[in-house]
Amino acid sequence: MKKKITLKQIARELEVSISTVSKALKDSGEISKDTKDKIRAFAKMSNYRPNSIALSLKNRQTKNIGVIIPEIVHHFFSTVIKGIQTYANTKGYNLIICVTNESYEKEVINIELLANGSIDGFILAISEETEMKNNFDHLKEITEQGIPLVLFDRVTNEVACDKVIIDDKVGAYKAVKKLIDNGNKKIALLTTASYFSVSKERDRGYRQALLDNNFEINENLILELDHFDMDDTPIEEFFDKQEIDAVLSVNETFGIRAMRVVQRKGLKVPEDISFIGFTDGLLSRYANPRLTTVDQHGGRMGEAAAEMLIEKIESEEENEIYRTEVIKSTLIEGDSTIN
Amino acid sequence: MKKKITLKQIARELEVSISTVSKALKDSGEISKDTKDKIRAFAKMSNYRPNSIALSLKNRQTKNIGVIIPEIVHHFFSTVIKGIQTYANTKGYNLIICVTNESYEKEVINIELLANGSIDGFILAISEETEMKNNFDHLKEITEQGIPLVLFDRVTNEVACDKVIIDDKVGAYKAVKKLIDNGNKKIALLTTASYFSVSKERDRGYRQALLDNNFEINENLILELDHFDMDDTPIEEFFDKQEIDAVLSVNETFGIRAMRVVQRKGLKVPEDISFIGFTDGLLSRYANPRLTTVDQHGGRMGEAAAEMLIEKIESEEENEIYRTEVIKSTLIEGDSTIN
DNA sequence: TATCAACACTCAAACGGTTTCGTAGCATTT
DNA sequence: AAATGCTACGAAACCGTTTGAGTGTTGATA
């Protein structure tokens, strides 16, 4: 087993000083060609690579980005990570990824763990529990410490930092508009509990589109579901108690599940009832029929977030100007709506 | 903005030496109670946390694990990551995740980038291109440098290290056995190009099961597909040219796509034709009918890999004894087979 | 009254690099 | 011959922490 070689060892071996070795490898003009060649040959032979920890300590930068997300087995979030990776890699940054499992405590712990010099900045989507508690002190603290932070998707106004979101409201609006234009009258909304920032925006878009088109808002047409409850009974009851001709779902799974429920009831999609979901993931793509969706462009969000963060990290001045970038959502026409 | 505070600053502020501060915070017996109390109070007040980079340099351990995977927007791999996280977190390790996009070059680069002291060990699934090239020098190199390495899922015998795999062959065998027991006669296999280690094993299990039950192996019943080709024509032709009453697919997507093709042809699943896929992901769960699958237990694989790696990292002796842990796959009965 | 241990600290080296400054040795200028 | 300028290298500080060795003061012991 050949251990990692250091400058010191090279220096001793070649009987020069450590600084000479360092300078030679950096192609400094201070070192003669002969010495340089000798040192470089030896370094190459012994496969020398500078220790990145030592560099981090010296330069006070780690070239690591802390990415904190609520869930990883999740199409949208993994897409965002991919986007972050793509951009970060071109800039020489690595990703330290922590999953909070939607827990407030884990979010706090992970942030504290990384804020001690392990990373140059954070990219984070707020966990459900944190949104519920509405407590963002841990985030304020890192910004106060001067650690750059970019929030994406699940954001809050409480914290002054860069943000990347999609136009959830507009996305929902466009979806409902399409359903209305197709002649649908009873348009339902499948959503999650109302304290989630994204659901809230989508809910707003839904209502706005209805109002703008002279529809009345019927609260009976709005069904709140729980992520973790896999029981379809509430969905069945919802569709049993009233006639519905179109559905907007704030995510993929509710949409797919509802589609199955109505299909089992013998309805045809999209002839009898139309569906539009959020998130253009695998589920939507492989659904039968292919679900029409509002694409959130997770990849682009990730890239945007990474770009904003790295810009902040590498800029000298401490400007306190924060931007919020809005990624445009797109309606992807599948076969669950009439096109 | 309050910058991170260091031992040196505390020392200056309290007019003691750096070592006194350090020792006081570590509750050393060398320091008097009075001084200790004073220092600890100040440290707490100023929210002191030791710089983890400095500690890494000193202790020559980073408490970071490098995880290198071919793809992240992928149910199986993200499940594995989750498993790794779960175990690693309990041991105080963080994850640095790199995605190779199935590229050999990216695999090499990412390994080199992290092998310079950034991580204490690697968990890795070999990229497709690397499997194709059959070149594992970069992996051999890190083991030679004494950096612990655990390979999972996509492994090779060329590299001496710990491994975690599932019993792909047995999984496929059990699946085919079930199809045979259900009375099916024409059992097809949907697979990928043959140089992928996992496909190879699943192929073997398929053949073995057939042979053991006195079936002839008919190469016409085996269809090789490309991941990235979304065109269903080859699948359609495959099912057009012959009668098939059961299908084993080496992944989810081929299975779901084939199921849709035959459903469009008017066949009923599972009455007319049965399907079993590998990977129990969202797609299978939300498919219509719910796909019967061979569950690979990605989470357990991840946990096992993390456990093996951390054990190696934290063990003093350099034993050259390597284990291969085999995770048992389970047949999850959905509605795409007769149960 | 020396001697010695205990106490409560400080010093300095080390981890592996980078970088500023200093200087020995030589050649060139005046 | 003295002053100057280059070249090519070394010494040392620094990043933030740990830790073994060293030190000055006190009180007890022989």
Side-chain angles (χ1 to χ4, degrees):
Chain A
M1 189 184 94
K2 42 173 186 184
K3 269 274 165 218
K4 290 251 68 170
I5 195 164
T6 66
L7 284 187
K8 194 193 276 191
Q9 291 166 45
I10 300 182
R12 198 186 313 140
E13 204 74 30
L14 264 38
E15 296 182 305
V16 291
S17 76
I18 296 181
S19 21
T20 305
V21 179
S22 175
K23 285 172 188 166
L25 294 175
K26 312 212 88 183
D27 203 15
S28 153
E30 289 182 39
I31 309 297
S32 71
K33 190 170 177 315
D34 281 5
T35 321
K36 254 191 232 176
D37 287 350
K38 193 176 61 175
I39 291 176
R40 302 181 117 170
F42 189 86
K44 188 164 207 173
M45 201 202 73
S46 47
N47 201 26
Y48 169 80
R49 305 247 175 267
N51 179 309
S52 58
I53 296 291
L55 287 178
S56 293
L57 183 58
K58 179 92 189 122
N59 305 331
R60 273 98 142 264
Q61 59 155 327
T62 60
K63 286 275 182 180
N64 284 153
I65 294 175
V67 179
I68 300 190
I69 49 167
E71 187 49 83
I72 188 146
V73 189
H74 188 292
H75 182 267
F76 173 67
F77 286 123
S78 56
T79 311
V80 175
I81 294 183
K82 191 169 184 133
I84 299 176
Q85 270 265 358
T86 304
Y87 187 83
N89 271 10
T90 67
K91 296 288 184 174
Y93 284 79
N94 278 314
L95 266 39
I96 298 191
I97 295 174
C98 292
V99 180
T100 61
N101 285 322
E102 306 284 8
S103 139
Y104 167 77
E105 200 197 340
K106 278 214 153 199
E107 191 172 298
V108 175
I109 291 177
N110 280 322
I111 287 179
E112 290 214 341
L113 218 62
L114 294 183
N116 299 305
S118 305
I119 50 95
D120 297 338
F122 282 108
I123 295 179
L124 185 146
I126 297 171
S127 82
E128 285 193 0
E129 204 189 341
T130 309
E131 287 197 319
M132 250 176 62
K133 288 196 179 216
N134 211 39
N135 181 348
F136 307 106
D137 292 345
H138 52 305
L139 300 180
K140 290 175 191 161
E141 208 163 290
I142 60 174
T143 57
E144 272 168 25
Q145 279 183 29
I147 303 176
L149 166 69
V150 176
L151 253 32
F152 74 92
D153 194 48
R154 311 228 202 120
V155 305
T156 171
N157 287 327
E158 300 272 315
V159 184
C161 66
D162 287 330
K163 285 155 202 168
V164 187
I165 52 176
I166 66 155
D167 54 352
D168 275 303
K169 193 178 162 188
V170 179
Y173 189 99
K174 284 193 289 193
V176 173
K177 183 70 165 54
K178 178 188 173 69
L179 294 173
I180 291 173
D181 288 349
N182 281 352
N184 295 302
K185 298 296 173 199
K186 297 278 199 177
I187 303 174
L189 175 69
L190 301 184
T191 183
T192 61
S194 54
Y195 40 75
F196 300 133
S197 54
V198 287
S199 298
K200 218 181 292 173
E201 285 303 301
R202 292 171 197 170
D203 181 284
R204 279 203 201 154
Y206 164 82
R207 289 168 195 264
Q208 189 71 50
L210 291 182
L211 291 177
D212 286 359
N213 290 275
N214 305 313
F215 278 63
E216 259 173 49
I217 291 183
N218 177 353
E219 298 293 339
N220 288 327
L221 284 173
I222 301 178
L223 178 62
E224 267 189 23
L225 290 167
D226 182 339
H227 274 309
F228 301 107
D229 187 1
M230 275 300 138
D231 182 15
D232 282 344
T233 329
I235 304 180
E236 280 160 14
E237 287 168 359
F238 182 74
F239 284 98
D240 278 343
K241 79 172 179 204
Q242 58 200 319
E243 222 169 285
I244 288 169
D245 52 19
V247 177
L248 172 66
S249 162
V250 300
N251 56 32
E252 278 192 315
T253 48
F254 293 173
I256 304 273
R257 281 166 63 189
M259 203 155 77
R260 261 212 285 191
V261 165
V262 304
Q263 283 173 331
R264 272 204 296 266
K265 285 184 56 172
L267 295 180
K268 292 250 166 292
V269 180
E271 293 82 355
D272 302 329
I273 178 167
S274 297
F275 282 87
I276 299 184
F278 263 80
T279 305
D280 189 55
L282 279 186
L283 277 184
S284 305
R285 256 172 280 184
Y286 284 90
N288 196 2
R290 200 251 192 252
L291 190 63
T292 295
T293 57
V294 182
D295 190 345
Q296 300 176 83
H297 301 297
R300 266 189 242 164
M301 279 188 91
E303 287 184 49
E307 191 177 344
M308 288 170 94
L309 185 73
I310 292 175
E311 198 191 333
K312 269 283 188 303
I313 291 175
E314 297 186 345
S315 84
E316 323 290 287
E317 350 87 61
E318 285 183 30
N319 58 5
E320 300 254 320
I321 304 152
Y322 298 115
R323 294 189 302 133
T324 293
E325 192 156 322
V326 180
I327 305 285
K328 278 214 180 74
S329 60
T330 329
L331 202 63
I332 307 249
E333 306 212 332
D335 306 315
S336 64
T337 47
I338 296 156
N339 300 313
Chain B
M1 189 184 92
K2 42 174 188 186
K3 269 275 167 216
K4 289 252 68 174
I5 195 164
T6 67
L7 286 188
K8 194 192 277 193
Q9 291 167 44
I10 299 183
R12 198 186 314 141
E13 204 72 31
L14 264 38
E15 297 184 303
V16 291
S17 76
I18 297 181
S19 17
T20 305
V21 180
S22 174
K23 285 171 184 167
L25 294 175
K26 311 211 91 184
D27 203 13
S28 155
E30 289 181 43
I31 310 295
S32 71
K33 189 167 177 316
D34 281 5
T35 320
K36 252 191 234 176
D37 288 349
K38 193 177 60 177
I39 291 176
R40 299 181 120 172
F42 188 87
K44 188 165 206 173
M45 201 202 73
S46 48
N47 200 26
Y48 170 79
R49 305 246 175 267
N51 179 307
S52 58
I53 296 292
L55 286 179
S56 292
L57 183 59
K58 184 112 239 287
N59 305 330
R60 274 100 141 258
Q61 56 155 328
T62 60
K63 288 276 183 177
N64 284 154
I65 294 175
V67 179
I68 299 189
I69 49 168
E71 187 50 79
I72 189 148
V73 190
H74 188 293
H75 183 265
F76 173 67
F77 286 122
S78 56
T79 312
V80 175
I81 294 183
K82 188 164 186 140
I84 298 176
Q85 271 264 0
T86 304
Y87 187 83
N89 271 9
T90 67
K91 296 288 184 177
Y93 284 79
N94 279 314
L95 266 41
I96 298 191
I97 295 175
C98 293
V99 180
T100 62
N101 285 323
E102 305 286 8
S103 140
Y104 166 78
E105 200 197 342
K106 277 214 154 201
E107 192 172 297
V108 175
I109 291 177
N110 280 321
I111 288 180
E112 289 212 342
L113 218 61
L114 293 183
N116 301 306
S118 305
I119 51 93
D120 297 337
F122 282 109
I123 295 179
L124 184 145
I126 298 170
S127 82
E128 285 192 0
E129 202 188 343
T130 310
E131 285 196 320
M132 250 175 62
K133 289 199 176 207
N134 211 40
N135 181 348
F136 307 106
D137 292 345
H138 52 305
L139 300 181
K140 290 176 191 161
E141 210 163 285
I142 60 173
T143 57
E144 273 169 24
Q145 280 183 28
I147 302 176
L149 166 68
V150 175
L151 254 32
F152 75 91
D153 193 50
R154 311 228 201 121
V155 304
T156 170
N157 287 326
E158 300 271 315
V159 183
C161 64
D162 286 329
K163 284 154 202 169
V164 186
I165 51 174
I166 66 154
D167 54 352
D168 275 304
K169 193 178 162 188
V170 178
Y173 189 100
K174 285 193 288 193
V176 174
K177 183 67 166 52
K178 179 191 173 69
L179 294 172
I180 292 173
D181 289 349
N182 280 354
N184 295 303
K185 298 296 173 199
K186 297 278 201 177
I187 303 173
L189 176 69
L190 301 184
T191 183
T192 61
S194 55
Y195 41 75
F196 301 132
S197 55
V198 287
S199 299
K200 219 182 290 172
E201 286 303 301
R202 293 171 195 171
D203 182 285
R204 278 202 200 156
Y206 164 82
R207 287 167 196 264
Q208 190 69 50
L210 291 182
L211 292 176
D212 285 0
N213 290 275
N214 305 312
F215 277 62
E216 260 175 46
I217 290 181
N218 177 355
E219 299 292 339
N220 288 328
L221 285 174
I222 300 177
L223 177 63
E224 265 188 26
L225 289 168
D226 182 337
H227 274 307
F228 300 105
D229 187 1
M230 277 298 139
D231 181 16
D232 283 344
T233 329
I235 304 180
E236 279 160 15
E237 286 169 359
F238 182 73
F239 284 98
D240 278 343
K241 78 173 181 203
Q242 59 200 320
E243 225 169 283
I244 288 170
D245 52 20
V247 178
L248 173 66
S249 163
V250 300
N251 55 32
E252 279 192 315
T253 47
F254 293 174
I256 304 272
R257 282 168 61 189
M259 202 155 77
R260 263 214 282 192
V261 165
V262 303
Q263 282 173 331
R264 273 204 293 266
K265 284 183 55 172
L267 296 180
K268 291 253 167 290
V269 181
E271 294 81 356
D272 301 331
I273 179 167
S274 297
F275 282 86
I276 298 184
F278 264 80
T279 305
D280 188 53
L282 278 186
L283 278 184
S284 306
R285 257 174 281 185
Y286 283 90
N288 197 1
R290 200 253 193 251
L291 190 63
T292 295
T293 56
V294 181
D295 190 346
Q296 299 175 87
H297 300 297
R300 268 189 240 163
M301 279 188 90
E303 287 185 50
E307 191 178 344
M308 288 170 96
L309 185 74
I310 292 175
E311 198 190 335
K312 269 282 189 302
I313 291 174
E314 298 187 345
S315 84
E316 322 290 286
E317 349 87 62
E318 285 184 26
N319 58 5
E320 301 255 317
I321 305 153
Y322 298 115
R323 295 188 300 131
T324 294
E325 192 156 321
V326 181
I327 306 285
K328 278 213 181 74
S329 60
T330 327
L331 202 64
I332 308 250
E333 305 211 334
D335 306 315
S336 64
T337 48
I338 296 156
N339 299 313

